[in-house]
Amino acid sequence: MKKRNIIHSALSLSLTAALCLSMAACGGTQPPADSSAASAAPAQPAAVQPAAEEPTSTALPVKALHPKQVDENPYMAKSDANIHHDGYNTDSTDEILPLGIYPEINVSYEKTNANASPAIYFDSYGHAVVPLLGGIAIRDLNAEETKTLGYFSPKKHDGGGYVIQSSYTFLDSENRIVCPTSNNHVLMLRATDESGNVLPEFEKVLDIDIKAAAEAALGKELTQNLLSVVFDYDGNLWFATGGFRIYPQRQQQGVIGYIAHSAIDAILNGEQADLSKAVFVHELTPGEGAENGIAASKEGAVILTNQNCYLLRANNGVEAVWCTPYESVGAKVSGEGDKTTGGGLAWGGGCSPTLTPNLVLFTDNQDPVNLLALDMKTGEVVANTPVLDDLPEGYQVAVENSAIVYDDGEGTVSTIVCNWFGAGNAGLADPNNDSSIQSYANIYDMNWLTKGNCMIAPGVERVDTVKTDSGYEMKSIWSRNDLSDTSILKLSTATGYIYGYVQNLESGMWQYIILDFETGETVFTMDVSNKYGYNNMAIGMYAGNSGNALYCPTGYLELLRLQDRFVYLPEMPYRKVDLDKAARNVLTQAQFEQDGGEGTVASWRNTATVENVHPNTTIAFRMNDLSGSTSALTLYAYGADGKLAEVDPALWSITDEDGEAVTELTAGTLYELRVTVADGGAFDLSEAEKEIKISVVLAK
């Protein structure tokens, strides 16, 4: 399968006239018209992949954290199933992400959709679910041209007249796609068969007009549109109306509520459901409405409106367990003479609420903005602190992207907040503007889209909320006022790093960036291009489930993926192993033992497929999280029965990068696990001739 590798070629893309104008407008240095990105870029930091004849490795040491503390929702898919990865909205993943091991950037071209695939989430089979032409699709995001495997189009399959609101779509436990729509319905789409095969055309198995049902239950007309939906832990489908900017003075009537699990089950079983007895609502004060997604835990559904935060439970009606008000200075927009021209998206707190088993965290929209931690059971504000309050003069703060929240399970909850101010379209203030419409033209500031991150305010900060004998206290751990980012940063607990996509304001280069979770320091950057169209469209980063892909949509109809070349053929280094058929996954001790392994897991599970092979082929996996004596290690490989078996020591070894055997291992040093496998042998998981698939893990 062909792939466009821009590990070096991206550095030779020429500046466009538009970029030159935008850099000049932002006060940046305007390079000559014929200069390339390579010549415009400053001297590369040591961590950056340089433009060289041979790629080099800048492998980061693994700093694994405890897995995230999220109670599994039995009604959601066992995967990173929504835009914020899980029902707690943590924006963190337990999947492995790239570590700078001979890194490269590969591209999938978009030739069908209006934009490179945004809002990516995964079903339990590993399929990527993305928006497509106003509908929703499962697509191959790794193909040279992004390929649609199956889809649902309102225009083609349902008479049109609406679009699916992809930001708050999610996958349920049966891998059905649950979608709010622009015409105030919620749909459930069956996208795969019982074996996980993608259906070319998705089957609509549920369609409920939520607005009509809510109006009937409320006894009055709603003047807000459906915004977001989520399942609680009892299978009730919660919904909220609102938009990206709800002005209280406009007195729009909104509602929050749920559809009973029993009614959903009845509909899915082909039965009639009386929605008048199954849809329950809580009336909001006119002018109050949701501006973000809903979170859910075992305690209930948490909804943040522009004025209050609620914990709600289904109790034959909406039970408001608690309602905690918060303050806001209202919608923020740039003033005359400011360095920005856009604004924020929300009137109230901009980020979706994020949960831990004990806390609810969100930002208000005061000046300065505060991070609030509420007790999950009582709604009491147990801690708060100003964030991003030391920016250079002339910048405002609006935290519009969901914060990363990581609970270490030992009494510390880390929150990473990111300033978004300037990216929002100031036209959202227009009384005739419908802020529930999710489109680039409606949401984003045109100057930001065309001039880049110099048009948004900087600021990224980590704040820890610590449990003490007397309650909770908050403290700032690190703060970065030199980063302007809109990409919804992601935390990998497997690696211990934060991943993003920013623009270097000196060179104009758009870059992948990795921050050290502990210190906030930039430990890796990789240039993409200095063309303005490589803006990430404020959509975010997406962690692939292969353990080796960090996706980023761009405005140039290119979906980028940062990958490590962690597997290669040492006997045939000119042959490129397909990275999209390779994977690194965390194998838990419990799963290791269940699969037949003995001892303690000592590495990630590494998998690779090699085509057109010789009868016996040596495959090398690069890894840098090994320590101790090699004599204490045992290699296990999976067989066709899904069980682990020991690999004969004569068939594998651990070497340095020159292929020399080593006996003592040092964590942080890059080693190679070399395995010889026979085509059609016991550890070949591929049934195809001249193709080998092997999956191995080290144990002590």
Side-chain angles (χ1 to χ4, degrees), residues 63-68 80 84-86 90-97 403-408 414-416 462 478 488-500 515-518 541 543 550:
K63 296 186 175 182
L65 306 170
H66 293 301
K68 58 186 180 181
D80 286 347
H84 298 305
H85 290 289
D86 51 60
T90 66
D91 282 288
S92 62
T93 180
D94 292 331
E95 300 286 356
I96 299 160
L97 285 175
I404 295 173
V405 174
Y406 170 68
D407 184 344
D408 69 1
S414 300
T415 304
I416 291 90
R462 171 182 161 184
W478 50 260
I488 311 183
L489 299 169
K490 301 297 181 186
L491 170 67
S492 166
T493 63
T495 65
Y497 294 100
I498 299 167
Y499 296 78
L515 307 180
D516 189 306
F517 172 75
E518 294 179 359
M541 313 303 295
L550 180 64

Side-chain angles (χ1 to χ4, degrees), residues 68 72 76-82 85-87 93 95 121-127 171-172 175 545:
K68 58 186 180 181
E72 185 177 298
M76 286 187 68
K78 294 178 175 63
S79 57
D80 286 347
N82 69 9
H85 290 289
D86 51 60
T93 180
E95 300 286 356
Y121 17 84
F122 295 88
D123 68 13
S124 298
Y125 299 111
H127 302 123
L171 278 301
D172 77 358
N175 289 298
N545 58 1

